[in-house]
Amino acid sequence: MSLMYAQMGMAAVSAFSQFSQSKHQHKMEEINRKYQETMSGISAAQQLNTLTANEISLRDAAVRAGVSIETQSLEDRAVAEVAAATAGVSGGSVKSTMRGLMRSRLMAQHSLRKKVEAQKRAATQDRRNVALSRAMNKDVSVIARPNTASALLGLGASMIDIYDSHQPHGSKTTDILAGWGR
């Protein structure tokens, strides 16, 4: 009988150890989940910062291009006016040249505006992609919390198995329970 009690004691120690280990494992899984979510948040923030920096650079480039278009247009008009005055030309041909220069300026501005709009749409889509990626990378799996009742139930089952292994045939718990139904 002392072997049976020793085995039961070892089973109790083992059950307690497993329960403690599962509690510790649960805490570690929660800590790991928080860490992963924090790292995902930091990564998303870095991506958004990069996107913002790129948008600022694109906006600055667009402003510089707009100023360049205006400057070039003014220079072209001035050159055309000087050339017309030097040649002593006036009238329809000069007005036609000025309209052509204005049309060129307007087309360049329109092209620049369309390019900036396309870049803004791309940046908006990139921001959506970052947000979607962050949402998709969020861990929503269930982390099972260790249950004392389950641990005790498992310990009880182990104790019964040990007890039954030391009983003669016909006196085991299953034999006794089978006799109750009659």
Side-chain angles (χ1 to χ4, degrees), residues 106-174:
L106 292 174
M107 288 174 62
Q109 286 176 337
H110 177 72
S111 175
L112 178 62
R113 204 172 15 250
K114 290 296 181 183
K115 182 178 178 182
V116 167
E117 288 172 5
Q119 290 169 342
K120 284 181 181 179
R121 281 192 302 273
T124 299
Q125 186 60 45
D126 287 343
R127 288 182 181 282
R128 285 184 187 136
N129 290 343
V130 169
L132 180 63
S133 175
R134 183 164 185 212
M136 296 298 285
N137 286 334
K138 188 163 186 148
D139 185 4
V140 293
S141 62
V142 176
I143 300 175
R145 190 175 291 271
N147 188 336
T148 307
S150 294
L152 291 175
L153 187 61
L155 175 61
S158 294
M159 295 294 182
I160 290 172
D161 286 344
I162 293 169
Y163 176 78
D164 279 349
S165 70
H166 291 277
Q167 300 304 313
H169 187 69
S171 298
K172 295 183 181 204
T173 308
T174 53

Side-chain angles (χ1 to χ4, degrees), residues 3-182:
L3 176 62
M4 178 180 76
Y5 294 129
Q7 288 176 337
M8 286 181 171
M10 291 299 292
V13 168
S14 176
F16 177 75
S17 172
Q18 288 175 353
F19 181 70
S20 293
Q21 181 182 1
S22 65
K23 281 176 51 177
H24 181 71
Q25 182 67 28
H26 179 263
K27 285 181 186 177
M28 293 302 294
E29 287 174 3
E30 284 182 339
I31 290 169
N32 187 45
R33 176 183 282 177
K34 287 178 185 176
Y35 171 79
Q36 293 299 331
E37 287 177 1
T38 301
M39 290 297 110
S40 177
I42 290 171
S43 175
Q46 286 178 331
Q47 290 173 343
L48 291 174
N49 286 344
T50 300
L51 288 172
T52 300
N54 290 343
E55 288 172 354
I56 291 169
S57 295
L58 291 172
R59 192 176 321 129
D60 288 348
V63 168
R64 283 192 302 276
V67 168
S68 177
I69 289 170
E70 288 298 320
T71 303
Q72 187 63 46
S73 175
L74 290 172
E75 287 175 7
D76 291 345
R77 288 183 69 193
V79 167
E81 288 174 358
V82 168
T86 303
V89 180
S90 64
S93 64
V94 174
K95 288 181 183 178
S96 176
T97 301
M98 293 300 174
R99 279 194 300 270
L101 292 172
M102 181 174 283
R103 186 174 31 256
S104 294
R105 177 181 62 91
L106 292 174
M107 288 174 62
Q109 286 176 337
H110 177 72
S111 175
L112 178 62
R113 204 172 15 250
K114 290 296 181 183
K115 182 178 178 182
V116 167
E117 288 172 5
Q119 290 169 342
K120 284 181 181 179
R121 281 192 302 273
T124 299
Q125 186 60 45
D126 287 343
R127 288 182 181 282
R128 285 184 187 136
N129 290 343
V130 169
L132 180 63
S133 175
R134 183 164 185 212
M136 296 298 285
N137 286 334
K138 188 163 186 148
D139 185 4
V140 293
S141 62
V142 176
I143 300 175
R145 190 175 291 271
N147 188 336
T148 307
S150 294
L152 291 175
L153 187 61
L155 175 61
S158 294
M159 295 294 182
I160 290 172
D161 286 344
I162 293 169
Y163 176 78
D164 279 349
S165 70
H166 291 277
Q167 300 304 313
H169 187 69
S171 298
K172 295 183 181 204
T173 308
T174 53
D175 297 333
I176 294 170
L177 291 175
W180 282 0
R182 294 184 189 164

